[in-house]
Amino acid sequence: IAPIFIIEGENIKNPILSMPGVFQWSLDRVHEEINNLLAVGVSRIILFGIPESKDNKASDAYKDSGIIQNAVSKLRLEFPELFIITDLCFCEYMDHGHCGVIDKEELDNDATLLLLRKQALSHVQAGAHMVAPSGMIDGMVGEIRTCLDENGFASIPIMSYAVKYASSFYAPFRDAASSVPQFGDRKSYQMDCGNIREALKEVELDVLEGADIVMVKPALSYLDVINEIKKIVHVPVACYNVSGEYSMIQAAANNGWIEHDNVMMEMLLSMKRAGADIIVTYFAIQASTIIKQNNGI
């Protein structure tokens, strides 16, 4: 699965300096990236939006004409072969950069759940094939599943970021999505990096609430977590090969310290070997190109 960043405006292909080779795309140019993906056999994407304006209610996240809603509608028409997943979170849409409603500098879990219902429904009504809640909000899967079922979308699957650690590997993504917290950090709702027991509990809860796929994020430093989760669930396990993991390889390869393609493939293979059925990665085009070449396609 390839992550795609959509930004308001026209004729935009903004390079993300901390993620060489990754861009923010305006809707009138994102077809360039989609065509490159489809050319090497990648037909699954996950969308992240960078709205024109932000507020403390994340209004653009769930309005009918929001950046992601418009992107989904456009891509469904132009690329019927594309499978579109949308990220459900509010860090890109809140003016404070946190993943939900903030009350007295604390995340209000229940208020955030109400907004997640609205966001999920708006994305699916626009044509999203799958939604992926990523905020680590307690009860998020159950709320989204109930909302979609009540509105006639019982067949829409949910890929839950069931295990999302409070990691230092996310820094380049925050440049890409313009989502740096304006105060504090996300450790109160993301997971302690040293804790695997909580990861197993979170996965079990999300599956009970209706998750069709569970995800571990980041991937490289949490291969043991992926492996343990694979042993206890009967749904597909995904992992997110995150921005910091991507940028380390890019930076080292650009300095001539490592051989890019071999290290990239070894990293991705380690995630597959650990038990990941699905990998979300910024290496989607490069890795798929190598796989096609090796298979003589």
Side-chain angles (χ1 to χ4, degrees):
I1 301 173
I4 305 286
F5 297 100
I6 307 292
I7 192 168
E8 295 278 10
E10 296 181 355
N11 194 32
I12 296 173
K13 181 184 177 183
N14 283 341
I16 300 164
L17 298 182
S18 58
M19 299 177 68
V22 179
F23 303 88
Q24 295 173 335
W25 298 92
S26 56
L27 274 179
D28 60 334
R29 291 195 63 180
V30 71
H31 65 273
E32 299 171 30
E33 183 76 343
I34 302 301
N35 284 329
N36 290 335
L37 287 164
L38 292 175
V40 295
V42 179
S43 60
R44 295 162 179 81
I45 62 171
I46 183 166
L47 295 178
F48 299 88
I50 302 99
E52 187 173 18
S53 60
K54 307 184 181 191
D55 59 32
N56 64 0
K57 298 179 181 179
S59 301
D60 198 274
Y62 44 83
K63 68 181 183 182
D64 292 343
S65 59
I67 181 68
I68 290 299
Q69 290 80 354
N70 287 339
V72 171
S73 298
K74 179 180 174 66
L75 293 175
R76 281 292 302 262
L77 287 173
E78 294 182 2
F79 299 96
E81 68 272 51
L82 202 60
F83 188 89
I84 303 170
I85 308 163
T86 57
D87 177 78
L88 301 182
C89 194
F90 300 114
C91 58
E92 303 105 309
Y93 304 94
M94 291 286 191
D95 54 13
H96 48 64
H98 281 279
C99 297
V101 177
I102 296 295
D103 182 22
K104 298 177 182 178
E105 297 197 358
E106 295 289 337
L107 188 135
D108 187 329
N109 197 92
D110 291 351
T112 302
L113 289 177
L114 294 176
L115 294 188
L116 272 173
R117 290 173 65 99
K118 296 170 67 174
Q119 186 184 33
L121 185 58
S122 69
H123 286 191
V124 172
Q125 288 173 332
H129 296 99
M130 180 187 289
V131 292
S134 65
M136 286 296 290
I137 309 302
D138 289 344
M140 63 185 185
V141 174
E143 285 289 334
I144 293 166
R145 182 74 276 155
T146 299
C147 176
L148 295 181
D149 290 355
E150 290 174 348
N151 287 276
F153 295 106
S155 63
I156 296 294
I158 298 172
M159 178 170 68
S160 173
Y161 289 62
V163 180
K164 185 176 182 180
Y165 284 95
S167 171
S168 298
F169 282 96
Y170 301 148
F173 175 91
R174 292 168 184 168
D175 292 338
S178 303
S179 61
V180 177
Q182 298 304 300
F183 59 87
D185 55 38
R186 295 173 179 150
K187 292 182 179 179
S188 65
Y189 47 95
Q190 294 179 359
M191 287 182 49
D192 178 353
C193 296
N195 194 328
I196 190 170
R197 292 183 180 179
E198 185 183 7
L200 302 180
K201 176 183 175 182
E202 292 285 354
V203 163
E204 290 174 337
L205 287 172
D206 279 9
V207 171
L208 286 173
E209 290 179 20
D212 299 281
I213 301 169
V214 291
M215 186 190 292
V216 177
K217 180 181 181 182
L220 187 61
S221 291
Y222 301 89
L223 299 178
D224 60 323
V225 180
I226 296 170
N227 186 255
E228 290 299 320
I229 289 170
K230 182 69 173 178
K231 295 175 184 176
I232 66 168
V233 299
H234 299 286
V235 299
V237 177
C239 69
Y240 201 133
N241 177 209
V242 298
S243 58
E245 297 164 359
Y246 171 86
S247 296
M248 288 192 303
I249 288 183
Q250 296 296 96
N254 288 341
N255 278 284
W257 299 334
I258 62 172
E259 200 289 315
H260 179 280
D261 289 354
N262 287 338
V263 173
M264 171 188 69
M265 295 304 291
E266 186 174 340
M267 176 188 282
L268 295 173
L269 181 60
S270 74
M271 297 167 195
K272 183 71 174 176
R273 189 183 64 243
D277 302 291
I278 298 165
I279 302 174
V280 181
T281 179
Y282 303 98
F283 290 119
I285 290 177
Q286 298 99 310
S288 295
T289 299
I290 290 171
I291 291 169
K292 287 188 70 172
Q293 290 170 348
N294 288 345
N295 290 338
I297 300 174

